[in-house]
Amino acid sequence: MNWYLSVLKKYVTFSGRARRTEYWMFTLFNIIFSIVAGVLDVVLGLGFINLIYTLAVLLPAIAVGVRRLHDTDRSGWWMLIGLIPLIGAIVLLVFFCLEGEKQENRFGADPKAA
């Protein structure tokens, strides 16, 4: 849960680097909360709780993705490859799974060293 909250504290911080753990734990909790919000929508018959949650975490999700790419020494602009159906998602998945640079790169110091 601390990983999820740390990403929310860096709401729109696109600079720096994010470890794999930070990215994947945020993604895991994001999926869990989205499922809970979807269930609440169905049970309560409202239909907008999941939409509000999705809009609230949209920028932090993009920001942590950009920082994750920075950890692998790639520009955040690589996020746009996700717009290509299927192939883009696969490429991003591979990039997000790769281990980050062990030394300082152009985006900052190694987050594991801190």
Side-chain angles (χ1 to χ4, degrees):
M1 189 67 174
N2 288 333
W3 293 106
Y4 182 80
L5 294 175
S6 73
V7 170
L8 292 181
K9 287 177 185 174
K10 301 175 191 172
Y11 196 78
V12 289
T13 304
F14 292 92
S15 61
R17 296 167 62 174
R19 297 174 58 181
R20 281 185 291 189
T21 307
E22 180 180 0
Y23 176 79
W24 288 111
M25 292 305 280
F26 174 78
T27 302
L28 173 67
F29 281 105
N30 197 18
I31 290 169
I32 291 169
F33 292 150
S34 186
I35 290 170
V36 169
V39 169
L40 284 175
D41 275 346
V42 171
V43 170
L44 300 176
L46 297 175
F48 61 85
I49 296 173
N50 197 18
L51 175 66
I52 291 172
Y53 174 75
T54 301
L55 290 175
V57 296
L58 179 64
L59 286 176
I62 294 171
V64 76
V66 167
R67 290 195 312 271
R68 180 70 205 123
L69 288 170
H70 286 175
D71 194 38
T72 61
D73 204 21
R74 288 178 178 78
S75 169
W77 289 104
W78 275 99
M79 287 287 287
L80 294 177
I81 201 168
L83 296 174
I84 300 171
L86 190 61
I87 302 298
I90 293 170
V91 169
L92 278 178
L93 179 65
V94 169
F95 287 166
F96 291 151
C97 289
L98 290 174
E99 186 173 3
E101 297 281 316
K102 294 191 185 300
Q103 67 278 0
E104 184 171 335
N105 65 19
R106 60 189 166 142
F107 299 106
D110 181 11
K112 284 186 177 180

